[in-house]
């Protein structure tokens, strides 16, 4: 099943993208895709109801905006330097353990919303990433059991301001958390939709030029490892996001480095998780 949320900013309602491409409104069946939804049996119940009621559920016009496919989670946990070639282009050693940092949940926007270059930014960069959506509370989970704690997967552009991230001291969170720096979606593909999250094509273009073109088979730490590892240090709650890292081809790694500017268009996608497209605009009061 593919979960979407639709409507104006702040007024999104839950929907489902059917296999034939039809979008249906399921707000009469569930309140929202949030922690309460993912922690119980609502996901499986919804799948059953959509299967039996698909023909009678209200249709959503294709012109209606898609928001983030889940309501604001308790946290976004990101993994840095998790592709070998990306570590190399960043001039950093391959880590012995996952590099973790947080991204503010206030950065979340819809998949096709604008990216706003923050005030004072000179180095806003792109990062296509596979993100995991937690479906069951995870604390001290063994790797063998990790997949049981996953609700699904979603496309994420982990937009980053490199000067804020790397040149201003402190932790990476400053360069990761500006408003609009987490376009998510278009939909959450539930776990049964993705046969192998470790073998998915992912790509990103800027102004129609291919910048990132890779495969999740190049991940240093795979999906079950990450869920298990992170759960040793914090409790992952239903609806939480783990963003698994980006492959080579970011602007910082180019020669010379190249960053986003007003008027640029970013397009990205992951096999089985759809595509998104963002217009880049400079910050204005």
């Amino acid at each position: 099943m593919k979960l979407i949320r639709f409507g104006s900013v702040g007024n999104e309602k839950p929907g489902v993208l059917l296999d034939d491409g039809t979008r249906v409104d399921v707000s009469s069946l569930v309140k929202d895709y949030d922690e309460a939804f993912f922690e119980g049996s609502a996901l499986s119940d919804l799948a059953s109801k959509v299967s039996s009621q698909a023909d009678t559920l209200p249709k959503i016009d294709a012109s209606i905006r898609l928001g983030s496919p889940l309501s604001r989670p308790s946290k976004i946990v990101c993994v840095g330097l998790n592709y070998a070639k990306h570590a190399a282009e960043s001039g950093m050693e391959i880590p012995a353990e996952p590099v973790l940092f947080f991204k503010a949940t206030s950065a979340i926007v819809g998949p096709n919303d604008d990216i706003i270059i923050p005030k004072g930014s000179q180095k806003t960069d792109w990062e296509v990433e596979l993100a995991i959506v937690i479906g069951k509370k995870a604390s001290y989970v063994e790797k063998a059991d990790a997949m049981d704690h996953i609700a699904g997967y979603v496309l994420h552009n982990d937009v980053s301001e490199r000067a804020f991230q790397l040149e201003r001291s402190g932790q990476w969170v400053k360069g990761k958390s500006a408003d609009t720096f987490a376009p998510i979606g278009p939909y959450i593909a539930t776990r049964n939709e993705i046969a192998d999250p470790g073998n998915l094509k992912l790509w990103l273009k800027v102004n129609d030029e291919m910048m990132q073109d890779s495969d999740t088979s190049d991940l240093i730490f795979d999906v079950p490892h990450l869920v298990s590892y992170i759960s040793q240090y914090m409790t992952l709650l239903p609806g939480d996001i783990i963003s698994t890292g980006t492959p080579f081809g970011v602007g910082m790694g180019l020669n010379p480095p190249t960053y986003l500017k007003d008027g640029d268009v970013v397009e990205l996608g992951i096999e089985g998780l759809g595509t998104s497209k963002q217009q880049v605009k400079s910050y204005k009061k």
Side-chain angles (χ1 to χ4, degrees):
M1 187 164 59
K2 298 179 176 70
L3 308 180
I4 61 171
R5 292 170 74 247
F6 65 96
S8 61
V9 176
N11 297 294
E12 294 90 348
K13 297 195 293 184
V16 169
L17 176 64
L18 302 180
D19 290 341
D20 65 0
T22 303
R23 301 172 178 178
V24 294
D25 182 343
V26 298
S27 59
S28 63
L29 304 178
V30 295
K31 182 179 179 181
D32 206 351
Y33 300 141
D34 53 14
E35 182 178 340
F37 172 82
F38 288 109
E39 72 181 350
S41 62
L43 183 56
S44 59
D45 292 345
L46 178 61
S48 177
K49 290 175 181 176
V50 169
S51 178
S52 63
Q53 301 177 34
D55 292 339
T56 59
L57 290 168
K59 305 298 188 289
I60 304 165
D61 191 273
S63 65
I64 295 177
R65 169 187 174 270
L66 290 180
S68 164
L70 77 165
S71 184
R72 188 178 297 176
S74 81
K75 52 189 169 290
I76 303 173
V77 186
C78 296
V79 184
L81 306 175
N82 199 27
Y83 286 77
K85 292 180 181 178
H86 175 54
E89 73 175 351
S90 301
M92 300 181 186
E93 296 291 329
I94 292 176
E97 296 186 33
V99 175
L100 304 182
F101 59 92
F102 285 107
K103 192 177 186 87
T105 59
S106 55
I108 293 175
V109 291
N112 303 308
D113 291 345
D114 295 336
I115 292 172
I116 305 299
I117 297 174
K119 182 179 179 180
S121 167
Q122 298 294 322
K123 297 181 179 181
T124 295
D125 207 345
W126 57 83
E127 295 190 11
V128 59
E129 302 202 5
L130 168 69
I132 303 161
V133 180
I134 297 298
K136 183 170 68 173
K137 188 166 84 169
S139 178
Y140 299 113
V141 171
E142 296 295 327
K143 183 174 179 179
D145 301 321
M147 298 299 284
D148 294 337
H149 293 263
I150 295 173
Y153 306 94
V154 68
L155 172 64
H156 174 215
N157 187 358
D158 178 23
V159 185
S160 308
E161 212 300 337
R162 301 304 187 187
F164 299 174
Q165 176 189 356
L166 301 171
E167 300 171 20
R168 296 289 183 89
S169 301
Q171 299 180 347
W172 288 4
V173 64
K174 291 187 294 188
K176 297 286 186 172
S177 297
D179 292 349
T180 75
F181 268 26
I184 292 176
Y187 54 78
I188 297 169
T190 52
R191 184 158 51 96
N192 63 297
E193 294 265 347
I194 303 297
D196 181 5
N199 187 28
L200 301 174
K201 297 290 185 183
L202 69 169
W203 57 271
L204 182 145
K205 297 179 181 179
V206 178
N207 301 329
D208 209 34
E209 180 181 357
M210 188 69 76
M211 309 305 291
Q212 294 183 277
D213 187 8
S214 190
D215 192 292
T216 57
S217 61
D218 192 40
L219 283 168
I220 297 168
F221 303 105
D222 64 15
V223 165
H225 183 102
L226 293 174
V227 173
S228 174
Y229 180 87
I230 295 169
S231 78
Q232 309 305 310
Y233 299 96
M234 67 194 78
T235 296
L236 295 166
L237 297 177
D240 281 356
I241 293 172
I242 299 172
S243 202
T244 62
T246 199
F248 70 96
V250 299
M252 177 178 65
L254 299 177
N255 186 17
T258 303
Y259 298 106
L260 295 172
K261 62 185 184 302
D262 186 271
D264 284 347
V265 177
V266 182
E267 298 176 80
L268 57 152
I270 299 180
E271 182 182 356
L273 298 178
T275 64
S276 66
K277 182 176 182 178
Q278 297 102 39
Q279 303 279 337
V280 179
K281 297 182 179 179
S282 295
Y283 170 82
K284 294 180 181 178
K285 287 186 178 180

